[in-house]
Amino acid sequence: MCRGGSEHAACKLSLMLSQKHEVFIATFFDEKIYPTTFEYNGRHFCLNQKGSENKIYSTFQRIKFIRNIIKENNIDYSVSFLKSADLINSMITPRIERISCIRSDVRRLFSQNKLSRFFWSSVYKKMHKVVFQTTQNRDNFRNLLNLSVDLHVIPNEYKISEVLSKSRQDFPCLNWSEYFVLIQVARLYDVKGQWSLFPILKELHNRGHKNVRIVILGTGPMLDEYVFICNQLGLRSIYTSDACFDFTKYDVIFKSFTDNPYMYVANSNAFIFTSISEGFPNAMAEAMIIGKFSFVSDFDGVSRYLFDLDDKELQTPIESEYGFILPVIHEKKGPVFDSKIILWVDTIEKYIHKDLSIYEDPIRQKMSMFDISYISLKWSSIFS
């Protein structure tokens, strides 16, 4: 409940379900070690029981532990997130209704050898319902496994009024209007593909757009490597926890996580998302809730889902009223300007001098379907 998108989604679901149900939350880590940063509602249990380090033995210990919780509290439903939790969910007890929430691209999940696919097919065959965030992922699951399981599509939910309210708070930085600011909200990990941001920025500077800046809200293990790439390219960078920073001194800002990323997104010119793979990109969705025009990679079909582009035959770059979908840059090449980098630069360059605020209202209206009041109805049908 403190680290990733799945934990965040599970916590938000607990808040929603606790209005009508008693909620129990079982996690693989102890809050004493990983303090909770996401708000949740329910009784929390840690599955990491003391005992053998043998993974098989530990798995059965966890199953036994959950079975006792179910028996003692007369639980009716179990909901699991991620593969390891799905495995335990499939084995706990046949008397309750088992629900899996698959967030990863199922093509990656089941693209391994036949034995692995058979094993995971047997796991999901025991589920009563499987919930996906996108129609593409549901369809891929159906085509790959052909299981007689009840399939549902429920995207992540958002308190839209709360996001908008925070985005409109007084912004402490005064000089942003003098620059074209591209912002990303993400942990600094390989899978987020942030290495491509720096050659993109360098090429924009080479073309005379010296006022372009990149702000990344987040931290992670790739920070030192990204600072090194910036140095190689001659880009001035800084990691800071300060609320404001000086764009006259720095081209790339790595800002530590903040309680209110929304006001930074709202005051930027556009959102840029270079991810290679995502279950459901909360940061991208929240940027669109704020009304931000976006330049995003074509990862796992999710960006197409958010842009209402279900046509799988469309080739990148794809233009829509919400932004641009561009090819994923898979290979980490440091300061190398390959054809995909140039394509991103060509696309962004066309919009540097445009008033992107004209796109805000259509983008906000499109995202109204993700409000918690609407999504909660979908979840209610799952537990009816």
Side-chain angles (χ1 to χ4, degrees), residues 30-197:
D30 193 332
E31 281 191 282
K32 294 177 182 177
I33 302 174
Y34 298 103
T36 301
T37 55
F38 299 137
E39 183 184 0
Y40 70 94
N41 195 357
R43 290 175 58 189
H44 178 229
F45 299 91
C46 175
L47 293 180
N48 283 348
Q49 301 297 300
K50 293 181 179 180
S52 171
E53 293 183 1
N54 182 286
K55 289 184 177 180
I56 296 176
Y57 179 79
S58 296
T59 297
F60 282 100
Q61 283 290 93
R62 289 166 173 166
I63 292 168
K64 181 180 178 182
F65 180 65
I66 291 185
R67 282 177 174 172
N68 288 334
I69 294 174
I70 291 172
K71 184 177 180 180
E72 292 170 4
N73 296 280
N74 197 28
I75 292 174
D76 299 303
Y77 301 89
S78 61
V79 185
S80 53
F81 290 78
L82 301 180
K83 286 170 64 176
S84 55
D86 289 340
L87 173 59
I88 291 176
N89 194 10
S90 70
M91 300 172 70
I92 47 178
T93 176
R95 77 167 192 81
I96 67 172
E97 187 164 319
R98 295 183 293 273
I99 302 166
S100 167
C101 298
I102 296 183
R103 303 179 55 81
S104 303
D105 182 1
V106 297
R107 293 171 300 180
R108 298 176 190 271
L109 196 63
F110 302 118
S111 63
Q112 301 167 358
N113 57 55
K114 290 184 179 179
L115 181 60
S116 176
R117 183 178 294 190
F118 173 79
F119 173 78
W120 286 105
S121 295
S122 66
V123 168
Y124 290 107
K125 191 175 183 179
K126 295 179 181 178
M127 299 297 173
H128 295 88
K129 296 174 183 176
V130 181
V131 178
F132 305 86
Q133 276 88 24
T134 68
T135 53
Q136 292 95 327
N137 220 20
R138 178 202 62 193
D139 294 345
N140 289 334
F141 180 92
R142 179 183 289 144
N143 294 334
L144 282 168
L145 299 186
N146 194 28
L147 299 177
S148 56
V149 180
D150 194 7
L151 308 182
H152 298 260
V153 176
I154 306 179
N156 286 358
E157 73 284 348
Y158 302 91
K159 294 181 179 179
I160 290 181
S161 60
E162 183 178 304
V163 172
L164 291 175
S165 175
K166 288 185 175 181
S167 73
R168 292 162 181 159
Q169 289 181 6
D170 291 339
F171 191 56
C173 306
L174 301 177
N175 64 338
W176 279 41
S177 60
E178 301 170 21
Y179 297 87
F180 186 84
V181 181
L182 294 166
I183 195 165
Q184 182 173 131
V185 184
R187 293 172 293 171
L188 304 181
Y189 282 124
D190 266 351
V191 74
K192 302 297 182 181
Q194 288 129 336
W195 61 77
S196 59
L197 291 171

